[in-house]
Amino acid sequence: MTSSTNMRLRLPLLCIILEVILIILFGALVEYNDDTHAKLWNANKSHSATRDDYENEFYYRYPSFQDVHVMIFVGFGFLMTFLQRYGFSSVGFNFLIAAFSLQWATLMQGFFHGMHHGKIHVGVTSMINADFCTGSVLISFGAVLGKTSPVQLLVMAIFEVTLFAVNEFILLSMLGANDAGGSMTIHTFGAYFGLMVTRVLYRPNLDKSKHRNSSVYHSDLFAMIGTIYLWMFWPSFNSAITNYGDPQHRTALNTYYSLAACTLATFAFSALVNPEGKLDMVHIQNAALAGGVAVGTAGEMMLTPFGSMIVGFLAGTISVLGYKYLTPVLESKLKIQDTCGIHNLHGMPGVLGAVVGAVTSALASPGVYGDGLQRVFADAETGKWNPQSRGGFQAISLAVTLGMALFGGLVTGFILKLPIYGAPPDTHCFEDGLYWEVPGEEEGHELNEVATPNEMEKLNS
Amino acid sequence: MTSSTNMRLRLPLLCIILEVILIILFGALVEYNDDTHAKLWNANKSHSATRDDYENEFYYRYPSFQDVHVMIFVGFGFLMTFLQRYGFSSVGFNFLIAAFSLQWATLMQGFFHGMHHGKIHVGVTSMINADFCTGSVLISFGAVLGKTSPVQLLVMAIFEVTLFAVNEFILLSMLGANDAGGSMTIHTFGAYFGLMVTRVLYRPNLDKSKHRNSSVYHSDLFAMIGTIYLWMFWPSFNSAITNYGDPQHRTALNTYYSLAACTLATFAFSALVNPEGKLDMVHIQNAALAGGVAVGTAGEMMLTPFGSMIVGFLAGTISVLGYKYLTPVLESKLKIQDTCGIHNLHGMPGVLGAVVGAVTSALASPGVYGDGLQRVFADAETGKWNPQSRGGFQAISLAVTLGMALFGGLVTGFILKLPIYGAPPDTHCFEDGLYWEVPGEEEGHELNEVATPNEMEKLNS
Amino acid sequence: MTSSTNMRLRLPLLCIILEVILIILFGALVEYNDDTHAKLWNANKSHSATRDDYENEFYYRYPSFQDVHVMIFVGFGFLMTFLQRYGFSSVGFNFLIAAFSLQWATLMQGFFHGMHHGKIHVGVTSMINADFCTGSVLISFGAVLGKTSPVQLLVMAIFEVTLFAVNEFILLSMLGANDAGGSMTIHTFGAYFGLMVTRVLYRPNLDKSKHRNSSVYHSDLFAMIGTIYLWMFWPSFNSAITNYGDPQHRTALNTYYSLAACTLATFAFSALVNPEGKLDMVHIQNAALAGGVAVGTAGEMMLTPFGSMIVGFLAGTISVLGYKYLTPVLESKLKIQDTCGIHNLHGMPGVLGAVVGAVTSALASPGVYGDGLQRVFADAETGKWNPQSRGGFQAISLAVTLGMALFGGLVTGFILKLPIYGAPPDTHCFEDGLYWEVPGEEEGHELNEVATPNEMEKLNS
């Protein structure tokens, strides 16, 4: 194979062309919304006697946005630094494709979710939604981690963001689905899209790089930074775009309990499946988060803390078991090489979350929700609300998502297979050195040399 | 001793049993509160013409909660990664016992602090309180760090959370004490409880593991992540559950100044007590935080920035001196092996904070507080307020806390001494390898092998 | 040279004297403001029927403050840990000088920005402003990183904070400049001040320490923690002290887009300027942030997302090119040894931001801003507003800032040149061991020794 991994022209060209296109489209299509526009906000204010600056949506959404932002850039970025020699790429490419995706997502989501006189309106809510869409791309990144060039990743992001917006439009606008925390739109979609991409990009000789496809002591600690941030801020993630008031508050609370229960399940099963009862960092880093994924749909509903804990416990359990027993089978039988095990963290827990959401929707009743019913189920306002059919639509939404993700991943995978992107050879996967200037030598030697105790003593005398 | 450290059955059994009990109790006892319940929130809203979704307590407490949450999981977790070979356990067991404790604390605190028709009501305030209680357990964890199995830690958490809730009830509800930032309830209690536990678990042969009871270069940097997050968010911690308005604002401000002054004291005394004038990472990592502990009670009062700075400066000073001169004595004379030096960070500064709180309470006057007096001192509302007796009750609260902590730690210590928990032998303390799958080898060799410059050149050509 | 680097007396004396002075001045001059004072807040509340505790500025400024606080302590602190043997000093000295500067800045800014009956009023806004001023000192720290003792850094902070406050007063109060995110007051000032200091402190024999003036693999990952936090929270930084409502919301949005575009430019040009197309961590760590600097003045204006993206793209481009082509020339021709390349991250992008601000001011019109005009341009309220002259004043502000920074840096540099501060010799720059107790040995050996597989097996049996 003559393909070079040199990025000197490919990466700059793609980045610059993409950014120029983005800038042109933003210039033509994007406007400040009513809460960010100097003229519109102040005009609206004077129309309403009681409305004041404190009621700008900024004050009620921005703290959630910042937590989501941390999850996208620190959470995902550092979670993937567990590989011994792929830390620069994990956090660096995560940074690059997230910075691109959030811009592209603003356009795609704006286009599908309703233009205003031909313009896309932006503000803190569009920022959250763009970050959500970006999260989906980063999930897929986890499946192909270490095996793709940054150019491939950007191309994947172009397609995935687009299809994400289409799928989101079908679910939220056409099927009227509930999915505030994105069990379906973000996690299920991102996972199965990524799994299909990595299936198409199957590398039969990947074991030539297997000595690098593992962690070292400190890389696992860096990864725990990502894990802990994802875990802590997941309540903010699931509640970031719910309705104000009780739904947002309740979503955060449900997610908090689900994650706590999930963590105990993760530690329990991680020790149980190991012959010596030793805990596995891979499980702790990943499976402990499955509880957040699994209440992404039902979190805003009256799931109760009790229900949230059961869901979280189940999610942690299936996630650990997936890492232990399913991932090896997926690789050997189905040729799915899933570097981060996204099937266990986002795939199965995402489907679980969709099912829990469908069931919880179907069980909803005015007796439980009172006047709050229509705050959660939008069609309750129209009077056409029927819990069983709502549950049915939720189930259909899951099916649509799986179909869109698998089909989209298939097509995108074949596009990414073209030998023009500078993908790493099988012998050099999971290796920063291909795309990064890596500092020459490790400290060991240097350290003892810099100053002898004698010299030090003199200096300090 | 025939005790095995194998966790294969012990840890899963305990985790699963505990989580099942938690789920059952939550199912029986826990309900959404008025601000998280779909029916109740919306019913309340329509009763009050002016109340709207923006006034949900979520918007006024949740940012504080998130900061506290970061302190509990990143702050405590990474602060303890300073040991060279105990990073997985530090951040991992911190994660496990915190996830358990916050659930158990929700029940215990809910039970003692007032049930509503037999139900415990939960929302963002209960989340903050549960995290606070968890903080106390993590302080005690610092004393026994490296010398306990995860099963022991969970058992310790069961007892400590329970006693924390009892002590908190006595202080806040019976004695009417002020302690918003927990100088007494959290820091003093957690410290002396943990010190007593580690006293009972005294290991005469611990020096067999002493080569591992120290840091390496990068482990100290990981620990600084914890330190800095604790330092930055301490203003949020101390102010998280004060009354709204000026008390919350003032608490954050006082804590900010106390910590800044404390940091200068820490650097000053760390250099002063070293023969060569070199700074000690242990002091910087820990003593710089003592200023937050020491204004945990008086922070909400009219302590003034000036007063806060004096308290912070004193706290930093005694904390550094404690690390240097007291910790070795505690170990050699009193047989208290305090891995993280919690006596210096939480013990003495907690007592200082309690004393400062008592004095500041005794000096309070309507002339200084105006109509704000009863916002800080609840009994000022009843007219029975007497500053001197208030100060006296604060002092009694400290005594009660010390008694509860020492007694609780004693009993818990003896329970933890039973040879059934898989505690590490004296020769293998401070060692991740007992309870974790640790990656096989360090990078050194691997790194230089992965790709020779020649290969790289070919790949990039 | 007989100068000793021993800090045993110097550092403690300076820290203690400074803190005592601060405490005395705070005692004499500083008071709670209306929103933090128990008496004043509650008195104000009862005068206004509708004002309640939820309207305390705490709830609208504190989340921004916390993000800024993270940038100052984690962002700057960890960004500078990239050096292989200077991590303790980077994050530690950052901590020390920031803790001092925020106290000193509170006094200086309070003095210049308006006393209230001889008293400085403090609250969350003064906390943000003090952190901003601190940021400026930390920028200068980047230029002299590795070449100064902590005593020198504290002395530098004393002078820089003072001059910062003077410059800020001239710009904001006398010239009526807009500079909410500090392109001029923070970045341009801090950069050129620091560059002049490092010029005066020029070390002709610095290449004796050049083997330590570079990164290692894990130090680059620690630095990325700083980078990512700065990047994520920059929207909060630029918007932290704008007017409430649309200006704050818009500033965050503009900064978000500018940074995203800047990141793509950074990756593009980093690959382009490398012969093998490899990315350089120095660029990613720094240049990707230039987009935040460059919209520090215009961010609150109607720059549009489109305009923000153009500015961000330009900023990233000049920053990478600066690192590649300008920094070596500055060092060889102008004798400016700029350790972190602050000229590329804060200097040039700061000037760009000032120019963009001047142009955007000059182009402002009531047609675009409507009633929001005076919310952004304070003098529009007085009727004396003239966009061209506003733009002119912005340009004058840049010139004043450059003059103040260069003059201040010159004087401060000569003060820091005195041989009394224990500065490191040329042979021991970039070395923690001079000022810190550094743990004795790296892990390598220790690790394999702690427990043989056989021992482990026995323990787990």
Side-chain angles (χ1 to χ4, degrees):
Chain A
M1 180 146 108
T2 60
S3 167
S4 154
T5 61
N6 192 311
M7 289 288 120
R8 181 143 195 206
L9 291 180
R10 274 183 275 229
L11 184 61
L13 267 179
L14 183 61
C15 285
I16 293 171
I17 290 172
L18 286 177
E19 192 59 48
V20 169
I21 292 173
L22 285 168
I23 289 175
I24 293 171
L25 290 174
F26 265 71
L29 293 172
V30 173
E31 277 184 357
Y32 294 124
N33 73 5
D34 286 12
D35 284 49
T36 46
H37 195 294
K39 191 175 190 173
L40 301 179
W41 172 253
N42 288 280
N44 285 339
K45 267 204 309 181
S46 44
H47 291 163
S48 151
T50 60
R51 187 179 174 90
D52 67 18
D53 286 328
Y54 289 164
E55 293 181 41
N56 194 294
E57 64 171 352
F58 180 79
Y59 302 103
Y60 301 90
R61 293 280 186 219
Y62 189 74
S64 304
F65 163 72
Q66 274 299 12
D67 290 353
V68 171
H69 218 40
V70 171
M71 294 174 72
I72 296 298
F73 288 88
V74 165
F76 280 105
F78 278 89
L79 179 58
M80 294 191 275
T81 58
F82 71 98
L83 290 170
Q84 57 186 273
R85 282 293 285 177
Y86 209 63
F88 289 12
S89 303
S90 295
V91 73
F93 297 163
N94 187 82
F95 190 18
L96 173 64
I97 59 178
F100 164 70
S101 297
L102 64 86
Q103 297 177 77
W104 184 235
T106 304
L107 292 172
M108 288 296 108
Q109 294 178 316
F111 181 74
F112 281 110
H113 301 174
M115 311 273 281
H116 304 257
H117 306 293
K119 298 286 184 181
I120 291 162
H121 280 193
V122 291
V124 66
T125 308
S126 77
M127 290 161 77
I128 296 171
N129 278 317
D131 268 34
F132 274 7
C133 176
T134 297
S136 196
V137 177
L138 299 178
I139 290 166
S140 302
F141 178 31
V144 298
L145 188 78
K147 302 172 296 181
T148 41
S149 76
V151 169
Q152 272 178 305
L153 293 170
L154 283 170
V155 172
M156 182 178 85
I158 297 170
F159 288 98
E160 184 164 2
V161 165
T162 310
L163 279 163
F164 176 98
V166 173
N167 185 57
E168 192 185 35
F169 173 71
I170 296 174
L171 264 62
L172 305 189
S173 302
M174 292 173 63
L175 297 171
N178 281 67
D179 198 22
S183 287
M184 295 182 284
T185 53
I186 301 168
H187 299 288
T188 304
F189 181 83
Y192 288 97
F193 187 100
L195 291 168
M196 188 52 101
V197 167
T198 199
R199 172 65 191 82
V200 176
L201 296 179
Y202 178 66
R203 288 168 179 267
N205 298 313
L206 188 60
D207 57 355
K208 286 183 182 166
S209 289
K210 109 183 136 180
H211 54 297
R212 260 178 269 109
N213 188 6
S214 60
S215 65
V216 290
Y217 194 69
H218 280 152
S219 70
D220 268 327
L221 280 178
F222 279 111
M224 279 304 283
I225 298 175
T227 296
I228 298 287
Y229 271 100
L230 288 168
W231 195 91
M232 292 186 304
F233 288 170
W234 218 296
S236 305
F237 189 94
N238 282 347
S239 67
I241 53 159
T242 59
N243 275 322
Y244 291 130
D246 65 285
Q248 190 164 15
H249 197 164
R250 187 167 58 244
T251 310
L253 188 68
N254 287 337
T255 308
Y256 171 82
Y257 288 124
S258 175
L259 286 162
C262 178
T263 302
L264 266 80
T266 299
F267 275 83
F269 285 93
S270 183
L272 193 62
V273 300
N274 182 291
E276 300 173 39
K278 289 189 184 181
L279 296 162
D280 188 329
M281 262 290 170
V282 172
H283 304 156
I284 309 305
Q285 282 161 8
N286 293 281
L289 302 169
V293 175
V295 296
T297 302
E300 65 176 325
M301 304 174 193
M302 291 289 287
L303 184 59
T304 76
F306 160 74
S308 306
M309 289 158 75
I310 293 174
V311 173
F313 193 84
L314 281 177
T317 304
I318 61 170
S319 190
V320 172
L321 298 179
Y323 275 101
K324 183 72 182 181
Y325 301 111
L326 195 54
T327 295
V329 175
L330 289 183
E331 177 151 0
S332 60
K333 304 289 178 200
L334 298 185
K335 299 184 176 175
I336 295 172
Q337 294 161 326
D338 176 5
T339 310
C340 294
I342 62 166
H343 189 245
N344 311 305
L345 168 48
H346 301 279
M348 292 189 295
V351 172
L352 173 63
V355 172
V356 171
V359 172
T360 315
S361 298
L363 296 175
S365 74
V368 172
Y369 289 77
D371 291 344
L373 187 65
Q374 64 198 42
R375 313 280 310 287
V376 177
F377 301 101
D379 49 5
E381 210 161 346
T382 64
K384 283 190 285 189
W385 179 72
N386 173 310
Q388 280 74 37
S389 89
R390 196 84 304 279
F393 277 114
Q394 293 290 128
I396 293 169
S397 296
L398 173 60
V400 169
T401 300
L402 285 169
M404 292 284 293
L406 292 171
F407 170 76
L410 186 73
V411 172
T412 305
F414 278 106
I415 293 169
L416 296 181
K417 228 179 150 74
L418 297 176
I420 57 174
Y421 305 110
D426 290 350
T427 50
H428 286 79
C429 287
F430 315 115
E431 167 59 48
D432 275 338
L434 282 187
Y435 303 116
W436 297 84
E437 288 287 352
V438 176
E441 58 190 291
E442 266 301 315
E443 312 156 46
H445 187 57
E446 207 69 57
L447 281 189
N448 301 325
E449 224 186 340
V450 283
T452 66
N454 260 358
E455 283 178 312
M456 282 292 175
E457 212 172 301
K458 264 193 286 178
L459 285 165
N460 284 288
S461 67
Chain B
M1 180 148 107
T2 60
S3 167
S4 154
T5 62
N6 192 313
M7 289 289 122
R8 183 147 195 201
L9 291 181
R10 276 183 271 231
L11 184 61
L13 267 178
L14 182 60
C15 285
I16 292 170
I17 290 171
L18 286 177
E19 191 59 47
V20 168
I21 292 173
L22 286 168
I23 288 175
I24 292 170
L25 291 174
F26 266 71
L29 294 172
V30 174
E31 275 184 356
Y32 294 124
N33 72 6
D34 287 11
D35 284 48
T36 46
H37 194 295
K39 192 175 188 172
L40 301 179
W41 171 254
N42 288 280
N44 284 339
K45 267 204 308 180
S46 44
H47 291 162
S48 151
T50 59
R51 187 178 174 91
D52 68 18
D53 286 327
Y54 290 164
E55 292 180 43
N56 194 293
E57 64 172 352
F58 180 79
Y59 302 104
Y60 302 89
R61 293 279 187 220
Y62 188 74
S64 304
F65 163 72
Q66 274 299 11
D67 290 353
V68 171
H69 217 40
V70 171
M71 293 174 72
I72 296 299
F73 287 89
V74 166
F76 281 105
F78 277 90
L79 180 58
M80 294 191 276
T81 58
F82 72 98
L83 291 171
Q84 58 186 273
R85 284 292 286 178
Y86 209 63
F88 289 11
S89 303
S90 295
V91 74
F93 296 162
N94 187 83
F95 190 18
L96 172 64
I97 59 179
F100 165 71
S101 297
L102 65 86
Q103 297 177 76
W104 184 236
T106 303
L107 292 172
M108 288 297 107
Q109 295 179 314
F111 180 74
F112 281 109
H113 301 174
M115 311 275 280
H116 305 257
H117 305 292
K119 297 288 184 178
I120 292 163
H121 280 193
V122 291
V124 67
T125 307
S126 77
M127 289 160 78
I128 296 171
N129 278 318
D131 268 33
F132 274 7
C133 176
T134 298
S136 196
V137 178
L138 300 178
I139 290 167
S140 302
F141 178 31
V144 298
L145 188 77
K147 302 173 294 182
T148 40
S149 76
V151 169
Q152 273 178 305
L153 294 170
L154 284 169
V155 172
M156 182 179 85
I158 296 170
F159 288 98
E160 184 163 3
V161 165
T162 310
L163 279 163
F164 176 98
V166 174
N167 185 56
E168 192 186 35
F169 173 72
I170 296 173
L171 263 63
L172 305 189
S173 303
M174 293 173 61
L175 298 170
N178 280 68
D179 198 23
S183 287
M184 294 182 284
T185 53
I186 302 169
H187 299 288
T188 304
F189 181 83
Y192 289 96
F193 187 99
L195 291 168
M196 188 52 102
V197 168
T198 199
R199 172 65 191 83
V200 176
L201 297 179
Y202 178 66
R203 288 168 178 267
N205 298 313
L206 188 60
D207 57 354
K208 287 184 181 166
S209 289
K210 109 184 134 180
H211 55 296
R212 261 177 269 107
N213 189 5
S214 60
S215 65
V216 290
Y217 195 68
H218 280 152
S219 70
D220 268 326
L221 280 178
F222 278 112
M224 279 302 284
I225 298 175
T227 296
I228 298 286
Y229 270 101
L230 289 168
W231 196 92
M232 292 186 305
F233 289 169
W234 217 296
S236 305
F237 188 94
N238 282 349
S239 67
I241 54 160
T242 60
N243 274 324
Y244 292 130
D246 66 285
Q248 189 164 16
H249 196 164
R250 187 168 58 245
T251 310
L253 188 67
N254 287 337
T255 308
Y256 170 82
Y257 287 124
S258 175
L259 285 162
C262 179
T263 302
L264 265 81
T266 300
F267 275 84
F269 285 91
S270 183
L272 193 62
V273 300
N274 183 290
E276 301 173 39
K278 290 189 184 182
L279 297 161
D280 188 329
M281 262 292 170
V282 172
H283 304 157
I284 310 305
Q285 283 160 7
N286 293 281
L289 302 168
V293 175
V295 295
T297 302
E300 65 176 326
M301 303 173 193
M302 290 291 286
L303 183 59
T304 76
F306 160 75
S308 306
M309 289 159 75
I310 292 173
V311 173
F313 192 84
L314 281 177
T317 304
I318 61 170
S319 189
V320 172
L321 298 178
Y323 275 102
K324 183 73 183 180
Y325 302 110
L326 195 54
T327 295
V329 174
L330 289 183
E331 177 151 0
S332 60
K333 303 289 178 202
L334 299 185
K335 299 185 177 176
I336 295 171
Q337 294 161 326
D338 176 6
T339 310
C340 293
I342 63 165
H343 189 245
N344 311 304
L345 169 48
H346 301 279
M348 293 188 295
V351 172
L352 174 63
V355 172
V356 171
V359 173
T360 315
S361 298
L363 296 174
S365 75
V368 172
Y369 289 77
D371 291 343
L373 186 65
Q374 63 198 42
R375 313 281 309 288
V376 176
F377 301 101
D379 48 5
E381 213 162 344
T382 65
K384 284 191 284 189
W385 179 72
N386 173 310
Q388 281 74 37
S389 89
R390 195 85 303 281
F393 277 114
Q394 293 290 128
I396 294 169
S397 296
L398 173 60
V400 170
T401 300
L402 285 168
M404 292 284 293
L406 292 171
F407 170 76
L410 185 73
V411 173
T412 306
F414 278 105
I415 293 169
L416 296 181
K417 230 178 150 71
L418 299 175
I420 57 173
Y421 306 110
D426 291 350
T427 50
H428 286 79
C429 287
F430 315 114
E431 167 60 47
D432 275 337
L434 283 187
Y435 303 115
W436 296 84
E437 287 287 352
V438 176
E441 58 192 291
E442 266 302 315
E443 313 157 45
H445 187 57
E446 205 68 57
L447 282 189
N448 302 323
E449 224 188 339
V450 283
T452 66
N454 260 358
E455 284 179 313
M456 282 291 176
E457 211 172 302
K458 263 193 287 177
L459 285 165
N460 284 288
S461 65
Chain C
M1 181 149 107
T2 60
S3 166
S4 154
T5 61
N6 192 311
M7 289 288 121
R8 181 145 196 204
L9 292 181
R10 275 183 272 232
L11 185 60
L13 267 179
L14 183 61
C15 286
I16 293 170
I17 291 172
L18 286 177
E19 192 59 47
V20 168
I21 293 174
L22 285 169
I23 288 175
I24 292 170
L25 290 175
F26 265 72
L29 294 172
V30 174
E31 277 184 357
Y32 294 124
N33 73 6
D34 287 11
D35 285 49
T36 45
H37 195 294
K39 192 176 190 172
L40 300 180
W41 171 254
N42 289 281
N44 284 338
K45 266 204 312 181
S46 44
H47 291 163
S48 152
T50 59
R51 188 179 173 92
D52 68 18
D53 286 328
Y54 290 165
E55 291 180 43
N56 194 293
E57 64 171 351
F58 180 79
Y59 302 103
Y60 302 90
R61 293 279 186 221
Y62 189 74
S64 303
F65 163 73
Q66 274 299 12
D67 290 352
V68 171
H69 217 41
V70 172
M71 293 174 72
I72 295 299
F73 287 89
V74 165
F76 280 104
F78 277 90
L79 179 58
M80 295 192 276
T81 58
F82 72 99
L83 290 171
Q84 57 187 274
R85 283 292 286 177
Y86 209 63
F88 289 11
S89 303
S90 296
V91 74
F93 296 163
N94 187 83
F95 190 18
L96 172 64
I97 59 178
F100 164 70
S101 297
L102 64 86
Q103 296 177 77
W104 184 234
T106 302
L107 292 173
M108 288 296 108
Q109 294 178 316
F111 181 74
F112 281 109
H113 301 174
M115 311 275 281
H116 305 258
H117 306 291
K119 298 286 185 180
I120 292 164
H121 280 193
V122 292
V124 67
T125 307
S126 78
M127 290 160 77
I128 295 172
N129 277 318
D131 268 35
F132 273 6
C133 176
T134 298
S136 197
V137 178
L138 300 178
I139 291 167
S140 302
F141 178 31
V144 299
L145 188 77
K147 302 172 294 181
T148 40
S149 76
V151 169
Q152 272 178 305
L153 294 171
L154 284 170
V155 172
M156 182 178 86
I158 297 170
F159 289 97
E160 184 163 1
V161 165
T162 310
L163 279 163
F164 177 98
V166 174
N167 185 56
E168 192 186 36
F169 173 71
I170 296 174
L171 264 62
L172 304 188
S173 302
M174 293 174 63
L175 297 170
N178 281 69
D179 198 22
S183 287
M184 294 181 285
T185 53
I186 302 168
H187 299 287
T188 303
F189 181 83
Y192 289 96
F193 188 99
L195 290 168
M196 188 53 101
V197 168
T198 199
R199 172 65 191 82
V200 176
L201 297 179
Y202 178 66
R203 289 168 178 266
N205 298 314
L206 189 60
D207 56 354
K208 286 183 183 165
S209 289
K210 108 184 137 181
H211 54 295
R212 260 177 269 108
N213 188 5
S214 60
S215 64
V216 291
Y217 195 69
H218 281 153
S219 70
D220 268 326
L221 280 178
F222 278 112
M224 279 304 282
I225 298 176
T227 296
I228 298 286
Y229 270 100
L230 288 168
W231 195 92
M232 292 186 305
F233 288 169
W234 218 295
S236 305
F237 189 94
N238 283 347
S239 67
I241 54 160
T242 60
N243 274 322
Y244 291 130
D246 65 286
Q248 189 165 15
H249 196 166
R250 188 168 58 245
T251 310
L253 189 67
N254 287 337
T255 308
Y256 171 82
Y257 288 124
S258 176
L259 285 162
C262 179
T263 302
L264 267 79
T266 299
F267 275 83
F269 285 92
S270 183
L272 193 62
V273 300
N274 182 290
E276 300 173 40
K278 289 188 183 181
L279 297 161
D280 189 329
M281 261 292 170
V282 172
H283 304 156
I284 309 305
Q285 282 161 7
N286 292 280
L289 302 169
V293 176
V295 295
T297 302
E300 65 176 325
M301 303 173 193
M302 290 290 287
L303 183 59
T304 76
F306 160 74
S308 305
M309 289 158 76
I310 293 174
V311 174
F313 192 85
L314 281 177
T317 304
I318 62 171
S319 189
V320 172
L321 297 178
Y323 274 101
K324 182 74 183 180
Y325 301 111
L326 195 53
T327 294
V329 175
L330 289 183
E331 176 150 2
S332 60
K333 304 289 178 201
L334 299 184
K335 299 184 176 176
I336 295 172
Q337 294 161 325
D338 176 6
T339 311
C340 294
I342 63 164
H343 188 245
N344 310 304
L345 168 48
H346 302 279
M348 293 189 296
V351 172
L352 173 63
V355 172
V356 171
V359 172
T360 315
S361 298
L363 296 175
S365 74
V368 172
Y369 289 77
D371 291 343
L373 187 65
Q374 65 198 42
R375 313 281 309 288
V376 176
F377 301 101
D379 49 6
E381 213 162 342
T382 64
K384 284 191 283 190
W385 178 72
N386 172 309
Q388 281 74 36
S389 88
R390 197 85 301 282
F393 277 113
Q394 293 290 128
I396 293 169
S397 296
L398 173 60
V400 169
T401 300
L402 285 168
M404 293 283 293
L406 292 171
F407 170 76
L410 186 73
V411 173
T412 305
F414 278 105
I415 294 168
L416 296 181
K417 230 178 150 72
L418 300 174
I420 57 174
Y421 306 110
D426 291 351
T427 49
H428 287 80
C429 287
F430 315 115
E431 167 59 47
D432 275 338
L434 283 187
Y435 303 115
W436 297 85
E437 288 287 351
V438 176
E441 59 191 292
E442 265 302 315
E443 313 157 44
H445 186 58
E446 206 68 58
L447 282 190
N448 302 323
E449 224 188 340
V450 283
T452 66
N454 259 359
E455 284 179 313
M456 282 292 176
E457 211 172 303
K458 264 193 285 176
L459 285 165
N460 284 286
S461 66

